[in-house]
């Protein structure tokens, strides 16, 4: 009888070990990614029965390394950046679009009328996320992406090259954008001016996703959705601000910047989530557009099948709860 009892204890311990698996979500400590921070701090994932940790990646390189070497299970990133990982040879799967980036890159330059054909535009990255924004800003003024020269430089070098008149326009983030604007440059567009040009999504390596039980994946996505709903409730504004100041790159002493950044969060509501993540919906159309841009600009390294790269079934299951 003792050996039967011992066997039962061993089986119970093994079952418990499976339940205690911890999942790692990697992201930039930037406000639009903050529902993950809220879900962690408020214990929403724990309440849903799943253990999740959040890994902050300050640089794109750090994030890429974490995905490449399976240091995280899930990533929250710009869709274009996920496509860039796919182009590098990683088997990436998009699990669903959750929002749109706002107030990050800015397109600035010498003339209020915008870039002309033949202009040289400096960028810190020519991944599909940056190209998508640049393409949208140019098309709004009748110029095609293939009609300009895109030059990739380190962020700290962009302003200097512009000042030396080696670049006509810049696609650049703060604080570098302000340095050039203070010297009389014109602000042509920010991501906020072109809603939907830089979508954000859940993603992961396909081989990592294959190891995660569907129920756990639904719980993880449900935690994000619950945190997003909590954040938009005015009654939670003070508590939300405290979490964001502690867990993101906000400067608590710069109140105008805190408010402006918090107001810039554009996580999708239920209707938009449903529409963007349906078959042949906005997410799939965006991926197809990125593939076309890479082809047109001769940057396509590997074929992209938008439908095969996207699997929103777990997110749609979470939305249905």
């Amino acid at each position: 009888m003792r050996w039967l009892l011992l066997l039962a204890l061993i089986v119970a311990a093994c079952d418990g070990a499976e339940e205690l698996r911890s999942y790692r979500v990697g992201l930039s400590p930037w406000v639009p990614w903050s529902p993950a921070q809220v879900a962690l701090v408020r214990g929403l994932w724990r309440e849903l029965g799943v253990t999740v940790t959040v890994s902050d990646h300050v640089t794109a390189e750090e994030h890429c390394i974490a995905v490449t070497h399976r240091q995280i299970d899930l990533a929250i990133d710009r869709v274009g950046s996920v496509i860039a990982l796919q182009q590098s040879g990683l088997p990436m799967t998009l699990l669903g679009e959750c929002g749109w980036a706002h107030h990050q890159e800015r397109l600035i330059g010498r003339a209020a009328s915008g870039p002309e054909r033949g202009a040289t535009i400096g960028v810190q990255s020519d991944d599909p996320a940056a190209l998508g924004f640049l393409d949208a800003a140019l098309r709004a003024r009748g110029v095609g992406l293939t009609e300009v020269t895109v030059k990739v430089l380190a962020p700290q070098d962009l302003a200097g090259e512009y000042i030396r008149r080696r670049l006509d326009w810049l696609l650049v983030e703060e604080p570098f954008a302000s340095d050039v604007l203070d010297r009389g440059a014109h602000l042509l567009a920010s991501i906020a001016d072109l809603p939907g040009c830089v979508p954000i999504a859940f993603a992961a390596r396909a081989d990592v996703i294959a190891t995660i039980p569907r129920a756990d994946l639904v719980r993880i996505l449900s935690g994000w959705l619950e945190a997003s709903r909590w954040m938009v409730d005015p009654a939670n504004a003070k508590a939300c601000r405290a979490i964001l100041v502690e867990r993101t790159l906000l400067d608590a002493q710069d109140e105008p910047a805190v408010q402006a950044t918090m107001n810039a969060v554009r996580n999708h509501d239920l209707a938009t989530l449903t529409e963007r993540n349906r078959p042949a919906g906005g997410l799939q159309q965006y991926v197809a557009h990125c593939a076309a841009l890479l082809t047109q600009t001769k940057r396509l390294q590997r074929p992209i099948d938008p439908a095969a790269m996207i699997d929103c079934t777990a997110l749609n299951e979470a939305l249905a709860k």
Side-chain angles (χ1 to χ4, degrees), residues 18-183:
E18 179 67 24
E19 293 174 0
L20 290 176
R21 175 175 175 178
S22 178
Y23 299 100
R24 303 155 298 176
V25 174
L27 45 77
S28 165
W30 188 48
V31 170
W33 277 245
S34 57
Q37 308 286 8
V38 170
L40 179 70
V41 172
R42 292 188 56 79
L44 301 181
W45 281 314
R46 184 174 61 251
E47 292 175 3
L48 289 166
V50 64
T51 302
V52 178
T53 59
V54 173
S55 298
D56 292 325
H57 301 145
V58 177
T59 67
E61 292 76 15
E62 184 182 0
H63 187 66
C64 181
I65 290 170
V67 175
T68 300
H69 296 286
R70 302 182 183 86
Q71 296 170 0
I72 57 175
D73 300 295
L74 298 177
I76 302 171
D77 205 347
R78 303 189 301 181
V79 174
S81 299
V82 177
I83 294 173
L85 290 171
Q86 181 268 348
Q87 288 291 287
S88 74
L90 294 182
M92 299 302 298
T93 296
L94 289 160
L95 300 170
E97 182 180 307
C98 54
W100 293 336
H102 277 62
H103 297 299
Q104 195 171 20
E105 286 93 347
R106 297 183 176 194
L107 180 58
I108 57 180
R110 302 192 184 283
S113 58
E116 298 180 350
R117 291 173 176 83
T120 300
I121 303 176
V123 299
Q124 67 184 58
S125 170
D126 61 351
D127 76 359
L131 291 178
F133 168 44
L134 183 56
D135 174 68
L138 291 173
R139 282 191 291 108
R141 285 153 182 82
V143 179
L145 188 58
T146 58
E147 296 177 300
V148 299
T149 298
V150 178
K151 187 174 182 180
V152 181
L153 294 168
Q156 63 271 22
D157 295 334
L158 286 169
E161 291 294 282
Y162 175 84
I163 292 167
R164 297 183 187 95
R165 306 191 73 83
R166 294 171 182 167
L167 300 172
D168 302 307
W169 287 83
L170 300 175
L171 181 60
V172 64
E173 300 177 357
E174 294 290 2
F176 305 108
S178 292
D179 291 341
V180 181
L181 289 169
D182 289 343
R183 294 173 179 264

Side-chain angles (χ1 to χ4, degrees), residues 262-284:
M262 290 180 65
N263 292 336
V265 177
R266 295 292 187 276
N267 294 311
H268 292 333
D269 59 19
L270 178 60
T272 307
L273 282 166
T274 301
E275 169 60 25
R276 295 289 297 181
N277 293 296
R278 66 175 175 80
L283 175 58
Q284 186 169 326

